[in-house]
Amino acid sequence: MDKNTKRTPAALKILDAASQLFYWKGIHSIGVETIASEAGVTKKTLYDRFGSKDQLIVAYLEERDRQWKKHLDNYLDRIPDDKPLQKILSIFDALEKWLETNSQRGCAFVNALAELPEASHPGRKVIFEEKRWLKQLFATFLRHLEFDQADEIAEKLLMLHEGITVTYSMNLSTNGIASAKETVQLILNANQ
Amino acid sequence: MDKNTKRTPAALKILDAASQLFYWKGIHSIGVETIASEAGVTKKTLYDRFGSKDQLIVAYLEERDRQWKKHLDNYLDRIPDDKPLQKILSIFDALEKWLETNSQRGCAFVNALAELPEASHPGRKVIFEEKRWLKQLFATFLRHLEFDQADEIAEKLLMLHEGITVTYSMNLSTNGIASAKETVQLILNANQ
DNA sequence: TTAAAAATAAACCGATCGGTATATTCAATG
DNA sequence: CATTGAATATACCGATCGGTTTATTTTTAA
């Protein structure tokens, strides 16, 4: 957000176009030429603002991260801080809505990781950090609930989170994510 | 396998090289030139045997499917047919070993789907069919166990299966897949 | 108002992409 | 032994890749 206010109008259009194209068509199948023309902008402008395709990829991932966290906050903020159980459940509600509106092609981070095998690519840091962050968010709420082994349970919840996303994108979750939420309840009940 | 016995030696070398390169480097970042040279073979031979890169991609996915099912059978065959519960659990044991030895970079099918956005690409059929098959395998064993709603529970198990794979590839499953197996037990106990 | 930053326009670069052509050699089988 | 399928070697194709260059115009702030 701080980062976005300092972006020029053309940079915003580029990031917008790149986000859609990268997500829906894949990172490597889309060329900078396509992104520039889709954004109604010159390739020169793209390179002046972002430096390289790799840096644009990083910006795309960071922006996706920002949007997901903003979306998630809309859900978390409605739950009072003394209801950590409901906070956890609301993460899955947020995910459900997110999948319906922004993620018909699966998790942008998982997909991007598939296309970024080089250990040194800076985009990978963004991806790993995003998942680690979510796991820690689960763990924090679990600790408030005074669960033993908060980290272990957080791991299970994260697994579910990722599993839903994959199956949803393959049209294998026939009941929306209701199945997943039942399993969440099961895990929480079992360890309390 | 029937398909593999009729493959020429060069075709086998090509498929072998392509499988490794596609899985570890991604489908679009690897060119046919690289595959041919890695296989110690001419590009002409590659095109004589596989026709196009897209058809080679399909062959790669079919071969991966064959190998996973063969690996899985090694586990399932050890369990007698009148123990469907243990059959289900052995699927997750098979997955654990599979992840350790063949899947450090996540699920080949999920990754490939990320790179094949076009609805008409024949590789997508292979991918969807693989997941649908696994879900049905779960459902079959659950029906033998006389579970109500075998399909719904199969869905939950598939979610776990996919979730493990994702978190494993991101080094987020600190206890191997022990956490996942606990959740499997939880699901099975809850619905019996 | 004026100077700097941002954006346009368009040509250009070497490298690589997937795929083809032609001509030659090798290996197996009837 | 002859035929045929498989493989090699190599040059080539147009298209596209990510990225650069130069020159000009527009926008924005001090």
Side-chain angles (χ1 to χ4, degrees), chain B:
Chain B
M1 40 189 88
D2 180 36
K3 222 168 192 171
N4 267 351
T5 55
K6 58 155 42 162
R7 284 201 203 278
T8 66
L12 286 172
K13 287 194 297 179
I14 292 165
L15 188 51
D16 235 53
S19 294
Q20 293 301 313
L21 290 167
F22 282 155
Y23 181 69
W24 288 98
K25 307 282 182 181
I27 288 175
H28 284 124
S29 20
I30 286 296
V32 286
E33 210 107 35
T34 307
I35 293 168
S37 90
E38 190 73 13
V41 140
T42 324
K43 228 185 347 170
K44 172 103 172 25
T45 305
L46 190 155
Y47 277 91
D48 281 348
R49 295 300 131 245
F50 293 95
S52 70
K53 188 187 182 183
D54 277 327
Q55 286 173 263
L56 180 56
I57 292 169
V58 172
Y60 152 61
L61 293 168
E62 287 173 342
E63 178 60 20
R64 185 97 184 172
D65 179 52
R66 245 173 268 129
Q67 282 175 10
W68 155 246
K69 284 175 179 168
K70 186 178 144 198
H71 170 84
L72 182 57
D73 276 340
N74 285 341
Y75 285 76
L76 288 174
D77 287 348
R78 289 198 200 109
I79 314 289
D81 285 342
D82 62 336
K83 307 250 186 215
L85 177 69
Q86 291 194 39
K87 291 259 189 194
I88 290 173
L89 292 171
S90 78
I91 295 177
F92 287 88
D93 290 330
L95 175 61
E96 181 164 32
K97 189 72 172 187
W98 181 255
L99 290 176
E100 284 168 8
T101 56
N102 297 288
S103 299
Q104 301 283 129
R105 247 181 59 81
C107 176
F109 300 105
V110 171
N111 290 356
L113 191 63
E115 297 204 65
L116 303 177
E118 269 187 56
S120 64
H121 196 292
R124 291 174 63 103
K125 249 180 58 185
V126 182
I127 296 166
F128 290 136
E129 180 55 27
E130 204 277 337
K131 297 302 181 194
R132 196 205 57 81
W133 176 87
L134 185 57
K135 184 176 172 183
Q136 278 314 112
L137 186 66
F138 281 129
T140 302
F141 293 138
L142 288 165
R143 260 181 238 110
H144 287 170
L145 283 166
E146 292 177 354
F147 272 87
D148 299 343
Q149 303 173 311
D151 284 325
E152 283 81 351
I153 305 172
E155 207 164 296
K156 294 177 186 176
L157 295 180
L158 184 66
M159 270 181 200
L160 263 177
H161 180 101
E162 300 306 313
I164 298 161
T165 308
V166 169
T167 56
Y168 185 88
S169 75
M170 293 201 183
N171 293 316
L172 286 165
S173 66
T174 56
N175 302 326
I177 71 160
S179 284
K181 285 199 254 183
E182 285 170 25
T183 308
V184 172
Q185 282 286 5
L186 223 55
I187 290 172
L188 296 179
N189 292 339
N191 291 85
Q192 207 165 18

